């Protein structure tokens, strides 16, 4: 079986000292490719060199809501130019979105709409971050409809919310959350929706799986997410793995 980690921050400092080992460990269990999102303008630009060094990584440009400041309008304008210049290198736009726990909510909403415009212009999918903001994301989708879908990162909503995103052309990113017994709402979504609606992700070094709280998450732990997912589904592991792989390849043009 082969796997793609559709959301991991392999360029973060927490993984840098042993990154080659982490990538090798992942490859040894079948995880051979990775999608690495952008979070700031400077980090997005740095991903160009990162991808040259690690060709198994597929990159995206974006401004994460956590890092937005009033001056981020200028950064977004520069991100547009950078993304258009490197269109052939990108697999997505993001990580972008709306986080109700972060400051500058109006700015977040405006720049999320800009990200949707950019993704539509470049015919790319979106990588969408959410936290207590499904209603705000839906409002943005009414202003500008995403034309090329994407993934709702770390989805943890209801079956109704899941169906809304799927109807909009999105996949649901499933990560370490489902390894926790308390994640009953997400378990219900995994059990209910068609297999074609999901992709796997770690969010490494964040979002640790159950039993590894307080430690940096590692890309090899995608297998723990996969094993838990399989326990919630009637299909064989082989069928589930192949669907994850083909869905990820189609979404990110891998």
């Amino acid at each position: 079986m082969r796997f793609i980690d559709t959301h991991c921050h392999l360029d973060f400092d927490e993984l840098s000292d042993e990154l080659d080992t982490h990538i090798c460990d992942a490859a040894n269990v079948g995880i051979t490719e990775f999608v690495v999102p952008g979070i700031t303008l400077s980090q997005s630009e740095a991903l160009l060199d990162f991808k040259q060094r690690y060709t198994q990584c597929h990159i995206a440009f974006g401004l994460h809501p956590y890092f937005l400041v009033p001056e981020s309008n200028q950064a977004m304008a520069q991100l547009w130019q950078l993304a258009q210049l490197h269109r052939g290198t990108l697999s997505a736009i993001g990580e972008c979105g709306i986080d109700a726990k972060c400051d500058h909510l109006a700015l977040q909403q405006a720049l999320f709409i800009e990200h949707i415009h950019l993704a539509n212009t470049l015919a790319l999918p979106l990588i969408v971050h959410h936290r207590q903001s499904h209603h705000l994301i839906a409002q943005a989708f009414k202003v500008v409809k995403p034309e090329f879908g994407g993934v709702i990162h770390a989805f943890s909503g209801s079956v109704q919310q899941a169906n809304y995103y799927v109807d909009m052309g999105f996949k649901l990113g499933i990560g370490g959350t489902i390894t926790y017994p308390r994640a009953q709402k997400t378990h219900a979504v995994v059990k209910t929706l068609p297999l074609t609606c999901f992709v796997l992700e770690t969010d490494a070094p964040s979002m640790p799986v159950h039993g590894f709280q307080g430690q940096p998450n590692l890309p090899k732990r995608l297998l723990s997410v996969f094993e838990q997912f399989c326990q919630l589904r009637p299909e064989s592991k082989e069928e589930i793995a192949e669907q994850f792989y083909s869905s990820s390849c189609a979404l990110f043009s891998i």
Side-chain angles (χ1 to χ4, degrees):
M1 293 184 288
R2 51 190 179 164
F3 299 93
I4 297 171
D5 186 345
T6 63
H7 192 119
C8 54
H9 300 279
L10 298 186
D11 58 322
F12 279 18
D13 290 343
E14 295 96 317
L15 301 176
S16 60
D17 287 347
E18 299 181 64
L19 182 56
D20 289 343
T21 299
H22 296 321
I23 290 176
C24 184
D25 288 345
N28 286 338
V29 291
I31 307 156
T32 56
E33 297 185 82
F34 311 86
V35 178
V36 182
I39 57 166
T40 66
L41 176 63
S42 60
Q43 179 264 355
S44 292
E45 189 168 18
L47 283 176
L48 294 167
D49 288 336
F50 186 83
K51 179 174 172 53
Q52 285 193 325
R53 288 169 49 215
Y54 297 99
T55 56
Q56 62 272 73
C57 291
H58 309 271
I59 64 171
F61 286 174
L63 305 181
H64 192 294
Y66 184 84
F67 299 99
L68 297 184
V69 294
E71 296 76 26
S72 294
N73 280 310
Q74 290 91 336
M76 189 70 217
Q78 291 176 267
L79 193 80
W80 265 84
Q81 294 178 339
L82 190 67
Q84 289 175 309
L85 185 61
H86 296 283
R87 163 64 186 92
T89 305
L90 299 181
S91 293
I93 295 298
E95 180 174 358
C96 57
I98 302 174
D99 190 319
K101 291 292 188 180
C102 293
D103 294 335
H104 313 299
L105 195 55
L107 177 63
Q108 288 187 52
Q109 292 171 279
L111 291 189
F112 181 47
I113 290 169
E114 282 295 303
H115 280 90
I116 301 171
H117 274 302
L118 177 57
N120 287 350
T121 299
L122 299 182
L124 288 171
L126 286 159
I127 299 172
V128 179
H129 171 96
H130 67 88
R131 188 161 56 156
Q132 298 180 9
S133 57
H134 290 302
H135 61 297
L136 299 175
I137 289 170
Q139 287 177 16
F141 286 175
K142 288 180 180 178
V143 177
V144 182
K145 185 182 186 298
E147 296 175 9
F148 299 93
V151 59
I152 305 301
H153 165 52
F155 181 79
S156 59
S158 66
V159 171
Q160 181 182 9
Q161 289 165 334
N163 279 315
Y164 165 77
Y165 286 123
V166 170
D167 289 345
M168 292 291 290
F170 283 80
K171 305 292 185 186
L172 308 176
I174 301 297
T177 299
I178 68 163
T179 64
Y180 292 84
R182 67 175 182 269
Q184 294 302 308
K185 190 162 64 171
T186 311
H187 290 173
V189 170
V190 168
K191 291 176 181 178
T192 304
L193 271 67
L195 194 56
T196 53
C197 298
F198 304 101
V199 292
L200 284 182
E201 56 182 34
T202 61
D203 202 25
S206 301
M207 219 162 73
V209 301
H210 184 59
F212 294 91
Q213 296 94 315
Q215 302 177 34
N217 196 12
L218 302 176
K220 69 180 180 181
R221 300 212 170 107
L222 191 76
L223 262 292
S224 298
V225 180
F226 172 70
E227 292 290 341
Q228 179 61 47
F229 189 96
C230 290
Q231 291 181 28
L232 300 169
R233 300 288 306 194
E235 300 91 348
S236 69
K237 286 186 177 182
E238 290 75 18
E239 182 181 351
I240 293 172
E242 190 53 42
Q243 185 60 61
F244 274 135
Y245 189 82
S246 61
S247 292
S248 303
C249 288
L251 179 61
F252 293 110
S253 298
I254 293 173

